Amino acid sequence: MAEIRGLTGDEAVAYAVKQCDVDVVSAYPITPQTIIVERFSEYVANGEVKTEFICVESEHSAMSACIGSSLTGARTFTATCSQGLALMHEMLYIASSLRLPIVMAVANRALSAPLNIHGDHSDMMGSRDCGWVQIYAENAQEVYDWIIQAFRLAEDPELSMPVAVNLDGFTITHCMEGVEVLEDEIVAKFLPPRKPLYTLDPSKPITVGAWATPEYYMDFKRQQVEALASAKAKLLEVTKEYAQFSGRKYGILESYGMEDAEAAVLCLGSTAGTVRAMVKELRARGEKVGIVKLWLYRPFPMEELMESLRGIKALAVMDRACSFGAPYGPLCSDVLATFQRYGLRIPTMNAIYGLGGRDVRPWDLSFLFDEVLKIARTGVVRNPVVFLGVRE
Amino acid sequence: MSTSSLFEKRAWKDLPVAGIIPEPGTSTKYRTGDWRTRKPIIDEQKCTNCLLCWVYCPDAAIERTPKKVMVNYDYCKGCGICANECPVKAITMVMEAI
């Protein structure tokens, strides 16, 4: 029954979107996302989907078209990355503030300058406060499964919130893997037609995006904060149901070796695979190490993260982006803020890695584990922020 | 504050989702008069009912009655154009009491 296809991460996105019976796709090509919309435009040209594909002149227009489309109640998808996501930035806030369940694939790529087309998380991290639900996938299979779940989550009638599914540029987008795909009917059953929170309908006029005075604006933002926070519980419902349809169980985070770990590494995306392999190797040598990978980055899963890190003596947080001028990279800042909120004092170091597609090699991780194990033994963080693999 | 009754004194939880305005024609419920810092006062002794203020008011806040004009203070923003245009200087702008 289960069919396994050879798909790159980008192709896995396009295939999932095809099965999700999307009404409108509006996008602008940018490496390494291009193959997503290229494949999808082939489905449109071949008449394999009923989707309206709106070609636009920029990513700013792409997201604007998606906002208009989603307002009419249409199931809407786009994909972008890097400079394209940056150009979309202001529209991202409008999509989330208007509670529009747009799904977007972000093929994570570095930001210029210097020009670089390879993978890192600078793009999404630059827009991490935009109010979207943000998910990071580890491989093509996860990308496929998350795109389908993303529509269901985004369109949950109580949530109605845009969702970004992140896949590392090239490492995932361009690598072909065996992806177990669902039958079209199964996806259709899992993902019923969208029931919009509100729509633009000339027979029942409403105003959208109206002016809010200082007396009201803040109350709307308060509402939005709470709405996004509720995405966590919804995600658990969606992943539970998806497991029944697919046999694959997702959630908020995934950990390995954490039952008795003294030192742990926390990361997002494709690097988790390399870290897990390293954890297995070190555990075979008797080292008590573990890995936690977040699937859900926004809303930030504070409780679940604290639960998974309970009992460890040292933590290394891997950030594939710089937060220039900040004390730590973005993920590490979130983790330390969470420790503070829960009254925890776990000695923590931050590793900035993989910028502009720099490979994270086993010996880079071996250095990182040496450091974090040293911290676990001594309780002292000698180097709070390290740059993995940078030539000194 | 005299703002739209749609949103009046509602806590954040009770506001329309996503800041939408769920029905049309609600601008009449929004009393823009509270933007005003100066208030036009018409001296009925001097007023000749020439209607120039009625013509010039950008907010249609001057209302006609058979014998005289009146200011609708719910919508008058206090711009002072009426006082400027009045040929007999029957309108004076006075500071709003705080």
Side-chain angles (χ1 to χ4, degrees):
Chain A
M1 194 173 102
E3 184 193 353
I4 295 179
R5 288 180 166 236
L7 297 172
T8 65
D10 275 353
E11 288 170 338
V13 173
Y15 194 78
V17 174
K18 175 190 173 200
Q19 292 185 306
C20 288
D21 193 22
V22 170
D23 298 305
V24 174
V25 171
S26 183
Y28 188 82
I30 180 168
T31 302
Q33 170 282 122
T34 307
I35 297 165
I36 298 175
V37 289
E38 207 171 272
R39 286 289 174 277
F40 196 82
S41 67
E42 287 168 16
Y43 296 141
V44 175
N46 294 342
E48 293 175 66
V49 289
K50 293 172 290 180
T51 312
E52 179 161 353
F53 194 109
I54 307 175
C55 291
V56 283
E57 78 285 7
S58 75
E59 287 84 356
H60 189 280
S61 303
M63 186 48 66
S64 302
C66 287
I67 288 168
S69 151
S70 193
L71 276 171
T72 68
R75 180 169 291 159
T76 306
F77 174 82
T78 190
T80 191
C81 63
S82 184
Q83 313 303 123
L85 186 68
L87 186 54
M88 263 183 196
H89 187 73
E90 65 163 318
M91 304 316 291
L92 297 177
Y93 281 73
I94 294 173
S96 60
S97 305
L98 295 181
R99 303 277 295 274
L100 301 175
I102 299 163
V103 171
M104 169 168 66
V106 180
N108 305 109
R109 160 184 155 178
L111 289 167
S112 292
L115 176 63
N116 179 292
I117 58 167
H118 294 278
D120 75 28
H121 298 155
S122 308
D123 49 7
M124 192 72 251
M125 288 301 171
S127 291
R128 69 185 181 278
D129 295 338
C130 69
W132 286 50
V133 176
Q134 290 157 47
I135 286 160
Y136 283 82
E138 183 184 324
N139 51 42
Q141 181 70 59
E142 287 197 7
V143 167
Y144 170 81
D145 291 324
W146 273 120
I147 289 287
I148 297 170
Q149 295 177 94
F151 278 108
R152 179 66 188 277
L153 175 66
E155 293 176 6
D156 182 290
E158 285 170 24
L159 181 64
S160 194
M161 199 65 94
V163 178
V165 177
N166 289 268
L167 57 156
D168 284 326
F170 292 100
T171 316
I172 303 179
T173 60
H174 284 58
C175 284
M176 187 170 287
E177 299 177 63
V179 177
E180 191 178 316
V181 298
L182 299 174
E183 288 168 23
D184 292 352
E185 300 74 45
I186 302 277
V187 177
K189 224 167 137 191
F190 173 73
L191 186 64
R194 177 182 164 198
K195 290 199 186 87
L197 209 53
Y198 63 90
T199 55
L200 291 180
D201 175 357
S203 67
K204 278 179 256 155
I206 59 168
T207 303
V208 172
W211 158 252
T213 59
E215 293 128 301
Y216 293 98
Y217 181 86
M218 193 164 164
D219 305 86
F220 286 120
K221 292 298 116 179
R222 177 77 186 85
Q223 196 184 60
Q224 198 182 340
V225 164
E226 216 55 43
L228 183 58
S230 74
K232 199 177 73 177
K234 291 289 176 197
L235 181 136
L236 288 172
E237 286 173 26
V238 168
T239 53
K240 196 173 163 192
E241 203 172 322
Y242 189 72
Q244 289 163 6
F245 281 84
S246 68
R248 291 183 290 277
K249 181 81 175 75
Y250 291 85
I252 283 165
L253 53 80
E254 190 178 46
S255 57
Y256 179 81
M258 292 305 292
E259 309 73 35
D260 61 348
E262 292 181 349
V265 169
L266 174 73
C267 65
L268 304 168
S270 64
T271 308
T274 323
V275 176
R276 198 180 298 107
M278 185 57 77
V279 165
K280 284 180 183 170
E281 202 178 308
L282 288 169
R283 288 186 72 85
R285 283 193 248 145
E287 299 285 8
K288 290 188 171 174
V289 292
I291 170 189
V292 179
K293 168 189 80 176
L294 292 187
W295 274 311
L296 180 67
Y297 177 64
R298 283 288 185 270
F300 196 70
M302 292 185 287
E303 295 87 355
E304 291 75 8
L305 183 64
M306 290 304 96
E307 183 61 29
S308 72
L309 297 178
R310 209 164 52 179
I312 63 166
K313 292 178 181 161
L315 176 69
V317 181
M318 297 182 73
D319 263 297
R320 207 175 181 180
C322 289
S323 181
F324 296 106
Y328 294 96
L331 179 59
C332 194
S333 288
D334 289 330
V335 171
L336 290 174
T338 308
F339 286 170
Q340 166 67 23
R341 189 152 162 176
Y342 284 78
L344 282 178
R345 289 183 65 88
I346 299 172
T348 299
M349 67 175 290
N350 189 199
I352 310 291
Y353 77 101
L355 301 184
R358 175 155 303 189
D359 262 347
V360 185
R361 299 151 304 182
W363 50 89
D364 296 316
L365 290 176
S366 162
F367 161 79
L368 184 64
F369 275 104
D370 280 352
E371 286 287 306
V372 72
L373 280 165
K374 218 180 288 171
I375 296 170
R377 279 195 302 274
T378 62
V380 180
V381 183
R382 264 187 326 123
N383 300 309
V385 182
V386 298
F387 292 80
L388 283 190
V390 162
R391 294 179 294 277
E392 299 290 348
Chain B
M1 281 295 154
S2 57
T3 31
S4 165
S5 59
L6 270 175
F7 296 162
E8 193 82 58
K9 288 177 184 164
R10 289 196 196 177
W12 65 267
K13 283 181 184 169
D14 305 321
L15 287 172
V17 71
I20 66 161
I21 299 174
E23 60 183 81
T26 53
S27 61
T28 53
K29 296 181 186 173
Y30 188 59
R31 304 288 164 87
T32 46
D34 67 0
W35 297 13
R36 195 172 53 234
T37 53
R38 292 188 309 148
K39 184 179 189 176
I41 305 288
I42 301 176
D43 182 341
E44 288 179 23
Q45 305 300 318
K46 288 187 187 169
C47 175
T48 61
N49 205 24
C50 71
L51 300 181
L52 271 178
C53 57
W54 175 77
V55 169
Y56 275 97
C57 177
D59 275 308
I62 304 283
E63 289 175 359
R64 291 173 65 180
T65 63
K67 285 192 174 164
K68 56 176 184 169
V69 288
M70 281 165 52
V71 180
N72 183 335
Y73 292 114
D74 281 346
Y75 299 105
C76 167
K77 293 175 188 154
C79 68
I81 288 174
C82 54
N84 189 61
E85 296 299 332
C86 179
V88 294
K89 304 290 170 213
I91 304 176
T92 45
M93 301 299 292
V94 299
M95 286 301 288
E96 283 283 350
I98 297 167

